[in-house]
Amino acid sequence: MRDSVRLEETGYASAGAGRRPWSCGSVRQGLFASAFFAMAFAAWADTYYVDANNGNDDWDGTSETNVVNTTTGPRKTLAAIVAVAKNDGDVIVAAPGTYGSGTCNSDAVVKSRVEIPAGVTLKSKSGATQTFIVGAVADKGDRNGKGCGLHATRCVKFASSSGQVEGFTLCGGRTAHSTTSGASDQDKSGGAAGGAYGKIVDCIVSNNAEVA
Protein backbone atom coordinates (compact mmCIF):
# COMPACT_ATOMS: atom_id res chain seq x y z
CA MET A 1 0.00 0.00 0.00
CA ARG A 2 2.78 2.38 0.86
CA ASP A 3 4.49 1.73 -2.48
CA SER A 4 1.25 2.34 -4.38
CA VAL A 5 0.87 5.72 -2.69
CA ARG A 6 4.40 6.65 -3.65
CA LEU A 7 3.69 5.69 -7.25
CA GLU A 8 0.72 8.06 -7.29
CA GLU A 9 2.84 10.91 -6.06
CA THR A 10 5.99 10.33 -8.08
CA GLY A 11 6.38 9.64 -11.78
CA TYR A 12 8.66 10.34 -14.73
CA ALA A 13 8.44 12.73 -17.67
CA SER A 14 10.45 12.10 -20.83
CA ALA A 15 13.40 14.41 -21.41
CA GLY A 16 15.20 13.48 -24.58
CA ALA A 17 16.88 10.10 -24.23
CA GLY A 18 16.54 10.06 -20.45
CA ARG A 19 13.86 10.56 -17.87
CA ARG A 20 13.47 13.16 -15.15
CA PRO A 21 11.39 12.73 -12.01
CA TRP A 22 8.39 14.91 -11.25
CA SER A 23 6.12 14.95 -8.24
CA CYS A 24 2.53 15.86 -7.59
CA GLY A 25 3.88 18.41 -5.14
CA SER A 26 5.55 20.25 -8.04
CA VAL A 27 2.30 20.16 -10.01
CA ARG A 28 0.37 21.50 -7.05
CA GLN A 29 2.88 24.33 -6.62
CA GLY A 30 2.58 25.22 -10.31
CA LEU A 31 -1.21 25.26 -10.15
CA PHE A 32 -1.10 27.40 -7.03
CA ALA A 33 1.25 29.88 -8.69
CA SER A 34 -0.98 30.08 -11.76
CA ALA A 35 -4.05 30.71 -9.62
CA PHE A 36 -2.20 33.34 -7.61
CA PHE A 37 -1.14 35.27 -10.69
CA ALA A 38 -4.65 35.01 -12.16
CA MET A 39 -6.12 36.50 -8.98
CA ALA A 40 -3.47 39.22 -8.90
CA PHE A 41 -4.23 40.14 -12.52
CA ALA A 42 -7.97 40.27 -11.77
CA ALA A 43 -7.30 42.53 -8.79
CA TRP A 44 -5.63 45.09 -11.06
CA ALA A 45 -8.40 45.05 -13.69
CA ASP A 46 -11.36 47.41 -13.23
CA THR A 47 -14.72 48.09 -14.85
CA TYR A 48 -15.57 51.62 -15.96
CA TYR A 49 -18.73 53.20 -17.34
CA VAL A 50 -19.56 55.74 -20.03
CA ASP A 51 -22.96 57.21 -20.89
CA ALA A 52 -23.40 59.58 -23.84
CA ASN A 53 -26.77 60.81 -22.55
CA ASN A 54 -26.38 60.99 -18.78
CA GLY A 55 -22.64 61.01 -18.17
CA ASN A 56 -20.25 63.80 -17.21
CA ASP A 57 -16.55 63.93 -18.06
CA ASP A 58 -15.87 65.45 -14.63
CA TRP A 59 -17.07 62.23 -12.98
CA ASP A 60 -14.71 59.34 -12.28
CA GLY A 61 -16.30 56.69 -14.51
CA THR A 62 -16.44 54.04 -11.77
CA SER A 63 -20.23 53.78 -11.49
CA GLU A 64 -23.02 53.17 -13.99
CA THR A 65 -25.10 55.95 -12.43
CA ASN A 66 -24.20 59.12 -10.57
CA VAL A 67 -24.04 59.03 -6.80
CA VAL A 68 -25.85 62.22 -5.77
CA ASN A 69 -23.63 65.09 -4.62
CA THR A 70 -20.44 63.24 -5.58
CA THR A 71 -18.21 62.91 -8.64
CA THR A 72 -18.87 59.15 -8.77
CA GLY A 73 -20.62 58.28 -12.00
CA PRO A 74 -20.21 57.52 -15.71
CA ARG A 75 -18.19 59.72 -18.02
CA LYS A 76 -19.80 61.19 -21.12
CA THR A 77 -17.27 60.71 -23.92
CA LEU A 78 -15.19 57.75 -24.99
CA ALA A 79 -12.06 59.89 -25.11
CA ALA A 80 -12.55 60.79 -21.45
CA ILE A 81 -13.19 57.25 -20.24
CA VAL A 82 -10.06 55.79 -21.86
CA ALA A 83 -8.06 58.41 -19.99
CA VAL A 84 -8.79 56.43 -16.81
CA ALA A 85 -9.51 52.92 -18.16
CA LYS A 86 -6.04 52.20 -19.50
CA ASN A 87 -4.71 49.15 -17.67
CA ASP A 88 -4.48 45.70 -19.21
CA GLY A 89 -7.71 43.86 -18.42
CA ASP A 90 -9.86 46.94 -17.82
CA VAL A 91 -13.40 46.82 -19.24
CA ILE A 92 -15.49 49.82 -20.29
CA VAL A 93 -19.27 49.38 -20.42
CA ALA A 94 -21.08 51.88 -22.66
CA ALA A 95 -24.73 52.74 -22.14
CA PRO A 96 -26.99 52.99 -25.21
CA GLY A 97 -26.59 56.22 -27.16
CA THR A 98 -24.59 58.03 -29.81
CA TYR A 99 -20.94 58.69 -29.05
CA GLY A 100 -20.15 61.48 -31.48
CA SER A 101 -18.17 64.00 -29.45
CA GLY A 102 -14.70 64.09 -27.94
CA THR A 103 -11.57 62.91 -29.73
CA CYS A 104 -8.22 61.24 -29.14
CA ASN A 105 -5.50 62.95 -31.17
CA SER A 106 -2.48 60.67 -31.26
CA ASP A 107 -2.12 60.93 -35.06
CA ALA A 108 -0.66 63.95 -36.80
CA VAL A 109 -3.59 64.92 -38.98
CA VAL A 110 -6.45 62.51 -38.20
CA LYS A 111 -8.41 62.28 -34.96
CA SER A 112 -10.13 59.24 -33.48
CA ARG A 113 -13.37 59.20 -31.52
CA VAL A 114 -11.67 56.71 -29.22
CA GLU A 115 -8.28 55.02 -29.03
CA ILE A 116 -8.44 51.68 -27.24
CA PRO A 117 -5.45 51.14 -24.92
CA ALA A 118 -3.58 47.83 -24.93
CA GLY A 119 -5.55 45.08 -23.23
CA VAL A 120 -8.71 47.17 -22.73
CA THR A 121 -12.17 46.06 -23.85
CA LEU A 122 -14.86 48.58 -24.78
CA LYS A 123 -18.28 46.94 -24.94
CA SER A 124 -21.83 48.19 -25.22
CA LYS A 125 -24.49 47.29 -22.73
CA SER A 126 -27.32 46.96 -25.25
CA GLY A 127 -25.71 45.99 -28.55
CA ALA A 128 -24.89 47.51 -31.91
CA THR A 129 -28.43 48.55 -32.83
CA GLN A 130 -28.61 50.87 -29.84
CA THR A 131 -25.03 52.07 -29.43
CA PHE A 132 -23.19 54.15 -32.03
CA ILE A 133 -19.66 55.48 -32.41
CA VAL A 134 -19.80 58.22 -35.03
CA GLY A 135 -16.79 59.77 -36.78
CA ALA A 136 -16.68 63.05 -38.68
CA VAL A 137 -15.70 64.46 -42.07
CA ALA A 138 -12.58 66.56 -42.58
CA ASP A 139 -12.23 70.32 -42.44
CA LYS A 140 -14.18 71.99 -45.23
CA GLY A 141 -11.15 73.46 -46.95
CA ASP A 142 -9.27 70.13 -47.13
CA ARG A 143 -12.08 67.69 -47.83
CA ASN A 144 -12.34 65.37 -50.81
CA GLY A 145 -15.55 64.04 -52.27
CA LYS A 146 -15.80 61.34 -49.62
CA GLY A 147 -15.18 63.67 -46.70
CA CYS A 148 -11.59 62.55 -46.12
CA GLY A 149 -8.88 65.08 -45.35
CA LEU A 150 -7.26 67.17 -42.63
CA HIS A 151 -8.67 66.69 -39.11
CA ALA A 152 -11.15 64.04 -40.14
CA THR A 153 -12.26 61.72 -37.34
CA ARG A 154 -12.23 57.93 -37.57
CA CYS A 155 -14.43 55.93 -35.23
CA VAL A 156 -11.91 53.71 -33.48
CA LYS A 157 -8.17 53.34 -33.28
CA PHE A 158 -6.34 50.56 -31.43
CA ALA A 159 -3.11 51.17 -29.55
CA SER A 160 -2.27 47.47 -29.88
CA SER A 161 -3.70 44.19 -31.14
CA SER A 162 -4.86 43.27 -27.62
CA GLY A 163 -7.64 45.89 -27.52
CA GLN A 164 -11.26 44.99 -28.26
CA VAL A 165 -14.49 46.76 -29.24
CA GLU A 166 -17.73 44.85 -28.88
CA GLY A 167 -21.34 45.58 -29.79
CA PHE A 168 -21.32 48.97 -31.56
CA THR A 169 -22.33 50.46 -34.88
CA LEU A 170 -19.23 52.23 -36.26
CA CYS A 171 -20.32 54.83 -38.79
CA GLY A 172 -19.36 58.14 -40.36
CA GLY A 173 -15.63 57.59 -39.89
CA ARG A 174 -13.20 59.39 -42.20
CA THR A 175 -9.42 59.65 -42.58
CA ALA A 176 -6.91 61.78 -44.46
CA HIS A 177 -6.95 61.75 -48.25
CA SER A 178 -3.97 60.92 -50.44
CA THR A 179 -2.82 64.54 -50.81
CA THR A 180 -3.24 65.70 -47.20
CA SER A 181 0.01 67.39 -46.18
CA GLY A 182 1.88 65.53 -43.45
CA ALA A 183 -0.40 62.50 -43.51
CA SER A 184 1.19 59.10 -42.91
CA ASP A 185 -0.07 55.86 -44.40
CA GLN A 186 -1.77 55.19 -41.07
CA ASP A 187 -3.57 58.55 -41.28
CA LYS A 188 -4.95 57.54 -44.66
CA SER A 189 -6.40 54.17 -43.62
CA GLY A 190 -9.02 52.91 -41.22
CA GLY A 191 -12.18 54.99 -41.57
CA ALA A 192 -13.77 52.74 -38.98
CA ALA A 193 -10.70 51.42 -37.17
CA GLY A 194 -7.08 52.34 -37.71
CA GLY A 195 -3.70 51.70 -36.15
CA ALA A 196 -2.97 48.20 -34.82
CA TYR A 197 -5.39 45.40 -35.63
CA GLY A 198 -7.45 44.96 -32.48
CA LYS A 199 -10.62 42.88 -32.25
CA ILE A 200 -13.98 44.12 -33.48
CA VAL A 201 -16.74 41.83 -32.21
CA ASP A 202 -20.48 41.90 -33.00
CA CYS A 203 -20.23 45.35 -34.59
CA ILE A 204 -21.98 46.93 -37.57
CA VAL A 205 -19.55 48.91 -39.76
CA SER A 206 -21.32 51.32 -42.08
CA ASN A 207 -20.82 54.52 -44.09
CA ASN A 208 -17.11 54.99 -43.46
CA ALA A 209 -14.47 56.15 -45.95
CA GLU A 210 -10.72 55.85 -46.12
CA VAL A 211 -7.76 56.24 -48.45
CA ALA A 212 -5.52 53.17 -48.27
Side-chain angles (χ1 to χ4, degrees), residues 3-176:
D3 286 341
S4 65
V5 172
R6 290 183 62 191
L7 286 171
E8 288 175 358
E9 292 186 348
T10 305
Y12 288 89
S14 297
R19 296 188 300 171
R20 58 185 176 84
W22 58 269
S23 69
C24 286
S26 298
V27 174
R28 285 194 294 268
Q29 290 174 359
L31 292 174
F32 176 79
S34 297
F36 174 81
F37 285 116
M39 289 186 293
F41 174 79
W44 284 103
D46 291 302
T47 300
Y48 294 89
Y49 300 90
V50 60
D51 189 329
N53 297 314
N54 302 303
N56 187 319
D57 284 346
D58 290 329
W59 295 342
D60 61 10
T62 62
S63 174
E64 191 170 7
T65 58
N66 177 237
V67 178
V68 179
N69 296 326
T70 74
T71 58
T72 299
R75 292 200 165 180
K76 183 177 181 66
T77 65
L78 298 175
I81 198 64
V82 294
V84 292
K86 54 189 176 182
N87 293 317
D88 193 359
D90 284 351
V91 175
I92 302 167
V93 179
T98 299
Y99 295 87
S101 62
T103 57
C104 299
N105 302 319
S106 63
D107 292 344
V109 296
V110 176
K111 297 174 284 188
S112 302
R113 197 62 73 200
V114 61
E115 182 171 339
I116 308 300
V120 172
T121 295
L122 169 64
K123 65 179 183 179
S124 68
K125 180 180 180 180
S126 301
T129 61
Q130 298 185 51
T131 323
F132 304 84
I133 300 177
V134 182
V137 299
D139 293 344
K140 187 174 182 180
D142 189 58
R143 188 186 308 167
N144 69 6
K146 295 182 178 180
C148 294
L150 186 66
H151 299 152
T153 304
R154 66 166 63 88
C155 298
V156 175
K157 180 184 176 184
F158 292 98
S160 88
S161 60
S162 60
Q164 180 166 309
V165 171
E166 180 179 339
F168 290 85
T169 291
L170 309 179
C171 58
R174 298 293 188 270
T175 57

